[in-house]
Amino acid sequence: MSMHKIKVTVNGAAEEVEVEARLLLVHHLRENLRLTGTHIGCDTTHCGACTVLLDGKPVKSCTMLAVQADGREIRTVEGLEQNGKLHPVQEGFWEKHGLQCGFCTPGMLMTSCALLEQNPHPSELQIREAISGNLCRCTGYVNIIKAVQYAAEKQQAQKEAAHAAA
Amino acid sequence: MIPSSFDYVSPTSIAEAVALLARQPDGAKVLSGGQSLLPLLKLRLGQVEKLVDIGRIPGLEYLKEEGGMLKIGGRTREAALEHSALIATRYPILHDTVRVIADPIVRNLATVGGNLAHGDPGNDHPATMLVLGAQVVVVGPKGERVIPIDQFFRGLFATALEPDEILTEIRVPTPPSRSGGAYVKLERKVGDYATAAAAAQVTLSATGVIERAGLALTNVNPVPQRAAAAEKHLIGKKPDAALLNEAGRLAAEASSPNADRRGQVDYKKEMARVLAARALQIAVDRAGGR
Ligand code: FES
Ligand code: FES
């Protein structure tokens, strides 16, 4: 059993911690950093409740060792809200009722956030494909799709407003 | 769940990684994308003394055409393959394949080399690489060797890769003109292993008969293998629907699936037959045979 000093930047703050080699990234986030917004929903890399962004790309944090994240940048659901303002995807899930129990939501939000950063105007099919690694047992996905579409429109409107003001 | 304890090293060169593996051939294992290995360790279906993480070795992720071949770095992420214009336009069978491997999030970490080296007959790349006639480049203490894909898969989770060797590159011969390929998979849901799947790759002659044919099935044999009888039946003939259906029948007949939650033996064989014929039809269409 080896111990490793790692430095992972989480939501902009670099934290140095000593971890056991077998510690999973999700446990590092939840237990060492007390960022319990990232959920654990399965043991088999299927559900995506644990999805976080690794250097901007969604990954399943239950299927990565904390040591593998050394020197990398992680974003979790706690990093979405900025200055007391919800991120457009969060607002979308709120407005369109994109959740019921909320268990899948942190993963859904992170995947949607990465999708919109990479493709600001996704088609419905592209949204469905992007979230196909995130399971929701409540909503039937319909309102999740609407939430992501709302977020895409909101971001577009924000861009136009910023453009008009400049 | 939490894996049992192990040591972890992250070498920064292939030579260093190979030396670490050679020191502990029975207890050390290569960690690439980890999307098969870590679930195995978490469920405690497997155990290791040491993980040699190749994630910090530079120069193992690339896609390029060179000397009549497509070269894929061993640690190239499935997502890179999926989003490559080169793959989409020149190797549609690989594009088909990568889009049905696990799910888009897993594909951000999962690697092409790992998909082969894991030796899982349920994985999707083996069938595709078999029909493309790929070669696997591995590096060990004695240097590099090139293994033809037909000799790579040895058994359930067993490959020709020695415990102290690292898979560094996959080479796919660029198919000649009038070639086409396709991969068709039946899965219960995104992220599942195939109930059955088929990879087909054909080359047509100037007169439109099949000159070269590759056909292989996923998850219906204990070891990934080509459907040799079906391939032989196709050669030298016009690719009409009757011929492709017959090849599908021959491939399914030679398969030996297990009954499990994905279906009974007869059902899987029937699906293999249908999927093989479909993959062949798309391959022929893409080769310009219609
Ligand atoms: S907890 Fe289910 S995929 Fe990570
Ligand atoms: S809201 Fe309950 S699992 Fe998605």
Side-chain angles (χ1 to χ4, degrees):
Chain A
M1 174 188 104
S2 52
M3 298 292 292
H4 302 267
K5 231 192 204 93
I6 60 164
K7 194 175 189 176
V8 186
T9 303
V10 181
N11 300 329
E15 307 255 10
E16 209 174 303
V17 190
E18 188 166 47
V19 300
E20 213 183 305
R22 64 172 169 167
L23 184 77
L24 300 171
L25 177 60
V26 71
H27 291 133
H28 175 58
L29 297 171
R30 289 179 54 88
E31 284 155 31
N32 288 340
L33 307 182
R34 306 303 299 167
L35 294 170
T36 53
T38 302
H39 291 168
I40 302 172
C42 72
D43 279 321
T44 51
T45 317
H46 280 115
C47 75
C50 63
T51 304
V52 300
L53 304 190
L54 170 73
D55 298 329
K57 287 187 186 153
V59 299
K60 297 188 175 180
S61 64
C62 72
T63 311
M64 181 167 176
L65 300 172
V67 275
Q68 288 178 285
D70 184 25
R72 315 282 296 264
E73 195 146 333
I74 302 286
R75 274 191 286 158
T76 70
V77 68
E78 287 89 348
L80 286 179
E81 182 194 312
Q82 295 288 332
N83 310 317
K85 271 196 70 91
L86 293 182
H87 187 281
V89 295
Q90 290 175 306
E91 208 183 299
F93 275 67
W94 172 274
E95 289 295 334
K96 296 294 169 186
H97 201 70
L99 61 140
Q100 288 175 30
C101 79
F103 200 87
C104 69
T105 313
M108 287 287 181
L109 290 171
M110 298 319 289
T111 302
S112 309
C113 169
L115 169 68
L116 294 182
E117 281 174 9
Q118 193 221 329
N119 176 5
H121 306 290
S123 66
E124 180 183 334
L125 185 65
Q126 286 169 329
I127 298 172
R128 285 186 181 273
E129 279 185 3
I131 63 167
S132 62
N134 295 87
L135 300 184
C136 176
R137 299 286 82 158
C138 303
T139 62
Y141 303 97
V142 173
N143 285 358
I144 295 180
I145 313 282
K146 287 186 192 156
V148 179
Q149 287 168 332
Y150 176 98
E153 281 160 29
K154 172 88 192 201
Q155 275 183 335
Q156 180 62 25
Q158 280 175 346
K159 234 180 270 166
E160 277 163 20
H163 193 75
Chain B
M1 281 169 73
I2 297 170
S4 51
S5 298
F6 50 75
D7 290 333
Y8 168 94
V9 279
S10 52
T12 52
S13 73
I14 292 173
E16 198 190 331
V18 166
L20 285 160
L21 289 169
R23 214 175 295 156
Q24 226 168 322
D26 294 328
K29 189 134 177 74
V30 173
L31 174 65
S32 184
Q35 302 301 286
S36 295
L37 181 56
L38 292 177
L40 213 77
L41 296 178
K42 280 168 59 180
L43 294 170
R44 304 220 176 180
L45 295 170
Q47 214 171 332
V48 290
E49 282 166 29
K50 180 178 277 179
L51 281 184
V52 179
D53 182 3
I54 58 168
R56 291 178 202 273
I57 301 175
L60 280 176
E61 294 183 33
Y62 53 85
L63 287 164
K64 58 182 179 202
E65 278 188 314
E66 208 176 77
M69 286 199 247
L70 169 70
K71 298 185 172 178
I72 306 174
R75 205 189 59 222
T76 302
R77 310 286 164 178
E78 301 289 8
L81 208 64
E82 183 182 3
H83 297 121
S84 154
L86 171 72
I87 297 300
T89 55
R90 305 258 300 154
Y91 302 87
I93 182 175
L94 274 173
H95 188 73
D96 290 351
T97 308
V98 72
R99 286 181 47 79
V100 292
I101 290 174
D103 65 52
I105 305 179
V106 168
R107 294 200 288 271
N108 280 332
L109 290 179
T111 68
V112 184
N115 194 285
L116 294 173
H118 196 52
D120 186 340
N123 280 356
D124 296 292
H125 276 307
T128 296
M129 294 299 178
L130 280 165
V131 302
L132 284 169
Q135 297 165 352
V136 178
V137 183
V138 306
V139 176
K142 285 183 251 132
E144 184 182 291
R145 61 189 184 111
V146 180
I147 309 170
I149 193 80
D150 284 305
Q151 293 161 31
F152 187 71
F153 302 106
R154 293 284 170 84
L156 193 62
F157 296 105
T159 68
L161 200 63
E162 295 293 337
D164 56 4
E165 287 179 324
I166 293 174
L167 195 167
T168 54
E169 187 176 271
I170 300 111
R171 293 182 185 160
V172 175
T174 303
S177 54
R178 292 190 301 270
S179 294
Y183 188 70
V184 185
K185 176 178 180 177
L186 175 68
E187 56 184 2
R188 296 176 302 178
K189 60 181 224 356
V190 168
D192 194 15
Y193 290 107
T195 302
Q201 177 74 28
V202 299
T203 303
L204 303 177
S205 73
T207 56
V209 302
I210 299 181
E211 222 166 50
R212 286 186 2 193
L215 184 64
L217 302 172
T218 298
N219 219 11
V220 291
N221 286 301
V223 184
Q225 56 193 260
R226 299 162 66 133
E231 290 179 351
K232 210 171 132 216
H233 183 73
L234 291 163
I235 302 297
K237 303 200 179 90
K238 280 256 181 224
D240 58 23
L243 180 76
L244 305 186
N245 282 330
E246 176 60 9
R249 194 190 65 77
L250 288 169
E253 192 179 81
S255 71
S256 52
N258 287 326
D260 60 18
R261 280 172 295 176
R262 292 183 188 85
Q264 299 300 314
V265 170
D266 288 349
Y267 170 69
K268 288 189 180 183
K269 284 200 165 200
E270 178 61 6
M271 291 305 104
R273 181 186 72 76
V274 172
L275 295 168
R278 275 188 205 164
L280 281 166
Q281 186 64 61
I282 301 170
V284 167
D285 291 349
R286 284 179 177 166
R290 205 217 290 240

